[in-house]
Every structure is written in structure tokens, then in C-alpha cells.
Amino acid sequence: MRELKIGNLSVAVPIIQGGMGVGISLSGLAAAVANEGGIGVISSAGLGLLYRDYTGNFLEASIHGLKEEIRKAREKTKGILGVNVMVAMSNFADMIRTAIDEKIDLIIAGAGLPLDLPSFLKKGSHTKLVPIVSSARAARIICEKWKSGYDYLPDAVVVEGPRAGGHLGFKEEQISDPDYSLEKLVPEIANELKGYEDQYNKPIPLIAAGGIYTGQDINNIMKLGASGVQMATIFVTTNECDASDAFKQTYIDATEKDIEIIKSPVGMPGRAILSNFITKVRAGKKQPKKCPFKCIKTCDISKSPYCIIIALINALKGNFENGYAFAGANAFRATRISSVKEVFQSLIREYMESR
């Protein structure tokens, strides 16, 4: 595999591990991926609940938790580390400032357009900024806004297709429409970015994400114009993943029919593995009485069928009567628990065999 360059960062293996919340990709998984030459990514979502023993204040606990996870990851690796931050989170600004203060190598921001992301950089900051988009139009809006407002262009761009896990940047009817497939989006967005690369003499590598599971998948999508890939689902069933064994087993036990599109309180469709909790929600048996954390800007307690952060924390612990696991379209292909090293070895071998 050819090296991925993001600014002055040289990524030996062009694989970014996708950020998975709540608590699925923390320091353990991120450090393991970074040690194999990829980019390990810590998810900032829900850290206030994971570190609630530090303080009962969700926002303060989130800041402390992110600092701790970055510190723990740094102790385990000298590799490249990133933080994933959802624009939809109410503590988006706190998480961005904290990640930059901790000198994280890069920030990946999605679940909304991070139009003001460059404003958080300080003089001397070396953190790279990488927005997630789902269309060439979104890429263009970000480039125009960042360049005109901050004289800054993305250091890389992630395009997340409709086969990704978790929240999706598509309308429900677009998810199965071939016109919105990753294979269609990559050339369109690569062409859009090329205009800015040529005009401003700045490389903007495109990272493809959503449904990439094998080395052959990596080879195929890079032939279409991607400089690297972001993969998440395949890393869930690893020893180093920070989720519980029960969470990982849900992937192994899942069939293709178990992976469904659900409606999320965030206001986006999401892909998850069917659980008793989802079944109860669809039957109208779940309704939050109050919003304890106010973690999502777009969440309306009067209309939300459940508290998403509590559902995801329950899933992290393996409690699927009161939660569910987000998963990519290929989650059913998991058959066993392996190491991150074994995953990288398999991906590289498959990539080489498919060339």
C-alpha cells in the first residue's frame, strides 16, 4: 500500500480507524491501530458518562475524559492519533479545544458540517483538520467557507458513504440508491477537491469510508481516486477494541438481516444491529421523561423515543435490552475475535493479492 500524506504526517498504511462512540474506540483501540502504521482515532462522544466518577457535570467530565484517553493512548504508542468529534454534540467546541490543547495529530469532524472548525486553531497548532462529507456539494461548501473565512483548506477530507455504521448523512431513500454509493461519490468529490488543490497548490487527500471491509475493497476504492480509507466495523471484533465482549459478540452473532436502518434522536438515519431494545422502541414502549445530559444539539426530548447516549452506553456494556450496537453494513461478516495486528496483516495481504 502506498503511504498516505496528510500535511506533514506520513501514514505508513493508508488506513484510518473510524471513531466509534460511545466508548467503542478509546485509547486501547486507537493506540493499537497507530502501532500498526495506521491512524488510531478516539471517539469523543459520551465521555462525560464514561468519566462520571470524576465529576457529575457531564461537560466537565467529557473534557477530563478526552484528556485522559489521549494521555493513555500516547503512553501506548508513538504513532499517529486522531479524535472524532460530532458537530451535532452540544460540547463540540469543548472537545475541539481540548483535542487541540492536547496536541492531537488530527481532528475528524462529522454529523454536520464543521464550518467554523479552523477558528479553533491557535498560533503554533499542528493539529490537522479533516471534515466528513457525504457529497461533492458539502466538500465545496466547506472549502469555500474555510478559505474565505479563515484562509484555510482541509488537510484531508473523509467521504462517508451510505454503507457506514452509525449516523448517516443521507436521507433514508438515498441509502440504497446507486447514485449515492461510495463508488459514485469518490470520483465526484476527488474531482471537486482537485480544483482547490490546483488553485491553491495544496494537496487535499480524499479518505473513503463506509462499507470497506477487505484489502480488495481498499484497492478498488483507491483506483477510483481515494488516497486512503477509513474503516471502523472490522476493528470492533478485535482484542484491543474498548467495547465489552458482549458487544463484540453481537457482531459475530449478527446475520445480514439483523443489520437495519433505524431512526435516531439525533435526527439522522442510522445503521445498527437489531436488538430487543429497538423492537420495543418501534412498538412505542420507550419514551424518556427528561433529558439528563443535553448532549445533542438537535435532540428534542418531546419527540425523542429514547435517550441515545444512555442506549449506547448500555450497548457498550452488553445490555441490549436497553441499548443497541451501531454497525456498518458488513458487520455480519465478522466470525471471530482477532488482534489489530492480524487485521492489518490480512488487509495488506488481500490488497496485494488483488492488485
Side-chain angles (χ1 to χ4, degrees), residues 27 51 63-73 102:
S27 56
Y51 281 86
I63 293 170
H64 173 75
L66 184 54
K67 289 179 178 178
E68 283 293 293
E69 290 301 322
I70 293 172
R71 179 188 61 78
K72 288 192 284 189
E102 293 298 310

Side-chain angles (χ1 to χ4, degrees), residues 11-332:
V11 189
V13 184
I15 295 174
I16 299 176
Q17 161 250 312
M20 295 173 282
V22 173
I24 310 304
S25 62
L26 299 175
S27 56
L29 179 56
V33 170
N35 280 333
E36 295 305 317
I39 298 179
V41 177
I42 297 164
S43 170
S44 66
L47 289 174
L49 265 182
L50 298 179
Y51 281 86
R52 65 194 310 175
D53 289 345
Y54 172 74
T55 172
N57 183 301
F58 178 79
L59 297 178
E60 289 178 6
S62 295
I63 293 170
H64 173 75
L66 184 54
K67 289 179 178 178
E68 283 293 293
E69 290 301 322
I70 293 172
R71 179 188 61 78
K72 288 192 284 189
R74 288 287 186 214
E75 289 176 353
K76 299 172 185 173
T77 184
K78 289 183 167 64
I80 301 171
L81 294 170
V83 168
N84 180 285
V85 186
M86 293 172 58
V87 177
M89 297 291 288
S90 58
N91 64 348
F92 172 78
D94 282 346
M95 295 293 91
I96 297 296
R97 289 191 191 100
T98 301
I100 291 172
D101 287 346
E102 293 298 310
K103 297 180 171 57
I104 199 70
D105 295 310
L106 76 164
I107 291 171
I108 299 173
L113 296 183
L115 296 178
D116 64 344
L117 189 54
S119 70
F120 294 94
L121 289 175
K122 299 176 180 178
K123 188 175 182 179
S125 296
H126 298 291
T127 299
K128 305 298 183 286
L129 305 182
V130 182
I132 298 176
V133 302
S134 55
S135 67
R137 178 177 177 272
R140 181 169 62 254
I141 289 171
I142 289 172
C143 287
E144 290 291 336
K145 176 68 174 177
W146 286 18
K147 189 63 183 173
S148 63
Y150 310 103
D151 193 25
Y152 198 97
L153 286 171
D155 295 291
V157 170
V158 172
V159 50
E160 194 167 272
R163 289 174 59 79
H167 294 113
L168 305 172
F170 300 89
K171 297 177 182 177
E172 198 160 342
E173 63 271 17
Q174 295 173 335
I175 292 171
S176 58
D177 187 336
D179 285 340
Y180 295 91
S181 69
L182 185 64
E183 291 76 14
K184 188 92 185 297
L185 293 173
V186 165
E188 293 175 354
I189 297 174
N191 184 60
E192 185 71 41
L193 295 177
K194 189 176 186 305
Y196 293 96
E197 290 179 313
D198 292 345
Q199 184 176 354
Y200 298 105
N201 193 30
K202 175 188 167 80
I204 310 174
L206 180 62
I207 316 299
I212 297 168
Y213 199 79
T214 68
Q216 182 168 356
D217 293 339
I218 297 172
N219 187 28
N220 291 344
I221 207 70
M222 289 178 77
K223 286 179 179 176
L224 294 177
S227 298
V229 296
Q230 179 178 279
M231 307 174 77
T233 294
I234 198 168
F235 290 113
V236 170
T237 49
T238 60
N239 296 314
E240 296 90 343
C241 177
D242 299 279
S244 66
D245 290 343
F247 186 98
K248 299 173 189 181
Q249 192 63 41
T250 300
Y251 275 52
I252 294 171
D253 292 341
T255 67
E256 190 169 5
K257 290 181 180 179
D258 291 328
I259 301 169
E260 299 190 356
I261 301 299
I262 65 169
K263 292 181 179 179
S264 165
V266 174
M268 296 171 153
R271 181 174 279 108
I273 297 174
L274 183 65
S275 69
N276 288 339
F277 177 79
I278 291 175
T279 302
K280 287 188 286 187
V281 168
R282 287 175 174 169
K285 295 182 180 178
K286 288 282 175 183
Q287 177 65 45
K289 297 287 189 285
K290 61 179 181 177
C291 176
F293 309 110
K294 297 180 173 62
C295 60
I296 302 290
K297 298 173 188 173
T298 54
C299 186
D300 182 351
I301 192 64
S302 66
K303 298 176 183 177
S304 297
Y306 57 90
C307 173
I308 188 169
I309 195 169
I310 291 178
L312 295 178
I313 283 285
N314 286 331
L316 168 69
K317 298 173 181 176
N319 176 2
F320 294 103
E321 289 296 324
N322 296 294
Y324 59 84
F326 275 141
N330 287 310
F332 71 95

